């Protein structure tokens, strides 16, 4: 049998090294023994982690070439069809589908932590009326750490479980309150009779009616969207969660960091950017002209391309079906025709084919959210709520992994060598 090692010859010294390969990976620290002098061991240089595994994980599997996504081994297509968001969150967090009593207990615990301290409401009141809800969410979820100081006990199983219930439960409340604040509407409190997504719709949209009744098609559509966004292995925000969490800070602070990472247009802000792009294009007839500009280097086709998927994102396929169901209730989103035309042209175009650029999860999700009456500012928030289960699962896996350490990358220093301090009057 071939040996599971890699042989490296350093042509600077002629020395040969044999490095073990385990699970398809070599340890970057094994490269450090390759040196010319005592202290110049080789490091691997990988901005953006293009080919660096930062951890071993058992949560989510993505095969980007095949367009495949699995949570704990279960294909996303089966989960989206048969499961609910809360059951999926349980699966992601605890590794197995829950039994009936486990699901009942889990649902009860998540449901009964949804109210937030009234002082958080005062904090929200301090924001400008036009404050971006993602900015409010990042701040308020971080602020929760001050309300639950026991969250610092990150190696205590019970404390971790309590913060897990609270985080998954309170993210929709914080998000809905941020939304209501932007409209100057009174906050709508959680209704424990409703499902996770039904209650979220209640907190967003309840007006003067005594009891809010979510539309079952929209409630289920949102639940499927939440399932699709629950985890996606080592994406930018999850990496932020793990990296910040590696300092052993409490999970509220780490979730605030992860949510901040999700705010950026290359990650969770992409579906907002997709809608802005569709509105800017304006009509189906202008799509070719827009594609020409993108190919000429003027901007990107938002909602297309992915660091991992070099095939159709499986989540985008499911979302396209959900979109049809939602539009039957809300009426067809007029921007859909532009999106379909963009997809049609891009999938036939040499530029996109060669670079393996396909629609990603964000290409159609914004159209659905908009049709449900949600403003674009809320889109990254709608991503952060379900991703919280993935962030916590990945954070916990990191904490319990004996291989993990404080995340602290190396650098390749290219700056000035030692020089003498220059007094102000001698500087040019
Ligand atoms: N439109 C046009 N060209 C693109 C696009 C795009 N959306 N995405 C990548 N390219 C081109 C790049 O210009 C580059 O071309 P070149 O080789 O001629 O220079 C090539 O494809 C490779 O692009 P990179 O930026 O190196 O690929 P990377 O893996 O770093 O980018 C990313 C991935 C950031 C998602 C990128 O595809 C992108 O910007 N897409 C648009 C934003 C978006 O939809 N983000 C959501 C991602 S999904 C998520 O976060 C949930």
């Amino acid at each position: 049998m071939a040996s599971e090692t890699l042989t490296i010859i350093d042509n600077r010294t002629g020395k040969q090294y044999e490095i073990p390969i385990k699970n398809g990976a070599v340890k970057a620290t094994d490269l450090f023994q390759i040196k010319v002098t005592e202290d110049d061991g080789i490091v691997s240089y990988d901005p953006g982690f293009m080919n660096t595994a930062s951890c071993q994980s058992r949560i989510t599997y993505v095969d980007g070439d095949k367009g495949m996504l699995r949570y704990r081994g279960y294909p996303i297509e089966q989960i989206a069809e048969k499961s609910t968001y809360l059951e999926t969150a349980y699966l992601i967090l605890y590794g197995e589908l829950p039994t009936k009593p486990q699901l009942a207990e889990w649902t009860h615990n998540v449901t009964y932590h949804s109210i937030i301290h009234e002082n958080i409401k005062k904090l929200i009141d301090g924001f400008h009326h036009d404050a971006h809800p993602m900015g409010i969410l990042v701040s308020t979820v971080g602020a929760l750490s001050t309300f639950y100081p026991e969250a610092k006990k990150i190696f205590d199983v019970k404390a971790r479980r309590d913060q897990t219930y609270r985080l998954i439960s309170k993210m929709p409340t914080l998000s809905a309150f941020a939304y209501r604040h932007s409209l100057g509407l009174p906050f709508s409190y959680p209704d424990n009779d409703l499902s996770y997504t039904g209650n979220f719709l209640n907190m967003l949209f309840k007006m003067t009616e005594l009891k809010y009744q979510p539309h079952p098609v929209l409630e289920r559509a949102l639940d499927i969207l939440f399932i699709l966004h629950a985890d996606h292995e080592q994406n930018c925000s999850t990496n932020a969660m793990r990296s910040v969490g590696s300092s052993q800070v409490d999970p509220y602070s780490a979730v605030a960091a992860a949510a901040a990472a999700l705010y950026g247009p290359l990650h969770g802000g992409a579906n907002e950017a997709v809608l802005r792009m569709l509105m800017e294009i304006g009509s189906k007839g202008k799509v070719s002209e827009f594609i020409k500009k993108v190919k000429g280097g003027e901007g990107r086709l938002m909602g297309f391309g992915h660091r991992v998927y070099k095939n159709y994102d499986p989540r985008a396929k499911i979302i396209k079906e959900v979109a049809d169901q939602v539009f039957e209730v809300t009426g067809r989103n007029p921007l859909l025709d532009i999106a379909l035309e963009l997809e049609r042209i891009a999938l036939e175009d040499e530029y996109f084919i060669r670079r393996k650029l396909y629609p990603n999860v964000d290409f159609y999700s914004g159209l659905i959210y908009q049709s449900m009456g949600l403003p674009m500012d809320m889109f990254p928030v709608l991503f952060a709520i379900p991703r919280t289960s993935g962030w916590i699962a990945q954070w916990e896996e990191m904490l319990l992994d004996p291989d993990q350490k404080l995340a602290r990358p190396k650098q390749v220093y290219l700056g000035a060598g030692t020089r003498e301090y220059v007094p102000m009057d001698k500087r040019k």
Side-chain angles (χ1 to χ4, degrees):
M1 205 178 84
S3 117
E4 287 287 298
T5 59
L6 178 72
T7 301
I8 299 176
I9 297 172
D10 185 347
N11 292 321
R12 299 169 305 174
T13 59
K15 280 196 195 153
Q16 184 170 311
Y17 301 84
E18 196 159 333
I19 293 181
I21 302 173
K22 198 174 161 201
N23 299 322
V26 292
K27 279 190 173 176
T29 45
D30 282 345
L31 299 177
F32 200 69
Q33 61 185 298
I34 306 173
K35 37 180 89 168
V36 176
T37 64
E38 219 9 73
D39 47 22
D40 69 349
I42 280 190
V43 295
S44 59
Y45 172 60
D46 189 5
F49 302 114
M50 296 292 286
N51 192 35
T52 294
S54 63
C55 62
Q56 298 182 15
S57 184
R58 292 178 171 78
I59 302 171
T60 293
Y61 176 73
V62 179
D63 184 331
D65 291 328
K66 296 198 182 108
M68 193 191 277
L69 167 62
R70 295 186 205 133
Y71 294 156
R72 300 282 189 183
Y74 295 101
I76 190 67
E77 294 78 6
Q78 289 181 28
I79 298 181
E81 189 193 332
K82 298 184 175 136
S83 188
T84 61
Y85 173 68
L86 274 194
E87 185 183 64
T88 305
Y90 184 100
L91 170 71
I92 287 175
L93 280 154
Y94 304 118
E96 295 297 336
L97 286 167
T99 60
K100 215 171 174 183
Q102 282 171 333
L103 182 61
E105 191 192 347
W106 165 246
T107 306
H108 175 89
N109 282 329
V110 171
T111 307
Y112 282 84
H113 281 94
S114 52
I115 287 184
I116 52 174
H117 195 287
E118 290 289 297
N119 284 354
I120 288 276
K121 271 175 45 189
K122 290 188 201 148
L123 179 59
I124 294 176
D125 279 338
F127 283 91
H128 274 305
H129 70 280
D130 56 355
H132 197 292
M134 196 63 174
I136 299 183
L137 182 65
V138 168
S139 317
T140 49
V141 74
L144 285 184
S145 73
T146 65
F147 291 82
Y148 304 108
E150 72 275 17
K152 284 193 175 71
K153 292 190 231 156
I154 54 169
F155 293 109
D156 177 318
V157 181
K158 177 163 181 331
R160 277 207 307 273
R161 287 232 160 162
D162 287 348
Q163 309 333 309
T164 301
Y165 300 140
R166 287 182 178 134
L167 271 161
I168 294 186
S169 191
K170 291 181 202 302
M171 285 293 272
T173 316
L174 296 173
S175 305
F177 281 20
Y179 171 67
R180 303 280 288 206
H181 174 76
S182 70
L183 298 177
L185 286 171
F187 299 127
S188 165
Y189 279 72
D191 179 344
N192 290 352
D193 292 342
L194 298 174
S195 71
Y196 189 75
T197 40
N199 173 49
F200 181 49
L201 290 169
N202 156 68
M203 291 190 290
L204 289 172
F205 297 130
K206 183 168 185 274
M207 296 305 278
T208 53
E209 65 271 42
L210 286 179
K211 182 124 184 121
Y212 179 84
Q213 295 294 352
H215 192 294
V217 172
L218 304 187
E219 183 183 3
R220 177 65 188 149
L222 193 58
D223 207 57
I224 295 175
L225 283 159
F226 278 11
I227 290 172
L228 300 180
H229 286 89
D231 193 48
H232 208 240
E233 50 119 310
Q234 305 314 311
N235 56 89
C236 177
S237 55
T238 300
N239 180 57
M241 180 84 194
R242 279 181 173 261
S243 184
V244 172
S246 77
S247 73
Q248 302 190 352
V249 74
D250 68 88
Y252 299 103
S253 304
V255 165
L262 192 65
Y263 196 176
L266 294 188
H267 189 17
N271 52 6
E272 177 175 345
V274 170
L275 272 205
R276 291 194 193 286
M277 172 188 79
L278 295 175
M279 289 188 296
E280 188 195 316
I281 297 171
S283 72
K284 218 171 129 179
K286 295 202 177 130
V287 167
S288 305
E289 191 189 320
F290 179 79
I291 297 253
K292 211 183 276 172
K293 277 196 202 158
V294 169
K295 284 161 57 178
E298 275 183 61
R300 289 194 163 194
L301 178 47
M302 298 312 286
F304 258 68
H306 197 276
R307 173 61 61 77
V308 181
Y309 291 118
K310 301 302 166 197
N311 201 324
Y312 212 102
D313 181 336
R315 301 168 299 174
K317 268 189 205 143
I318 301 169
I319 286 186
K320 228 173 147 180
E321 286 163 24
V322 173
D324 290 336
Q325 293 156 18
V326 168
F327 297 155
E328 266 184 37
V329 176
T330 61
R332 194 178 160 88
N333 189 319
L335 296 175
L336 179 68
D337 290 330
I338 304 174
L340 288 170
E341 181 69 355
L342 264 179
E343 181 183 337
R344 189 187 67 76
I345 297 185
L347 292 182
E348 286 172 358
D349 192 295
E350 222 278 311
Y351 176 96
F352 295 91
I353 294 170
R354 191 151 44 84
R355 290 170 179 78
K356 299 190 175 158
L357 300 170
Y358 293 86
N360 60 46
V361 67
D362 288 317
F363 194 63
Y364 289 104
S365 60
L367 289 172
I368 301 180
Y369 291 143
Q370 192 185 48
S371 297
M372 289 170 91
L374 287 153
M376 281 183 282
D377 278 0
M378 281 296 282
F379 294 177
V381 172
L382 291 158
F383 193 157
I385 295 170
R387 184 54 60 88
T388 303
S389 56
W391 288 334
I392 300 171
Q394 301 268 354
W395 165 76
E396 196 161 28
E397 189 178 57
M398 180 271 305
L399 284 182
L400 303 179
D401 179 351
D403 272 5
Q404 286 295 332
K405 285 182 177 300
L406 174 73
R408 202 298 186 190
K410 285 207 164 183
Q411 63 169 6
V412 177
Y413 179 71
L414 299 177
T418 314
R419 34 187 188 160
E420 291 294 318
Y421 181 80
V422 183
M424 184 64 80
D425 58 350
K426 299 256 166 54
R427 291 177 207 167
K428 291 184 188 122

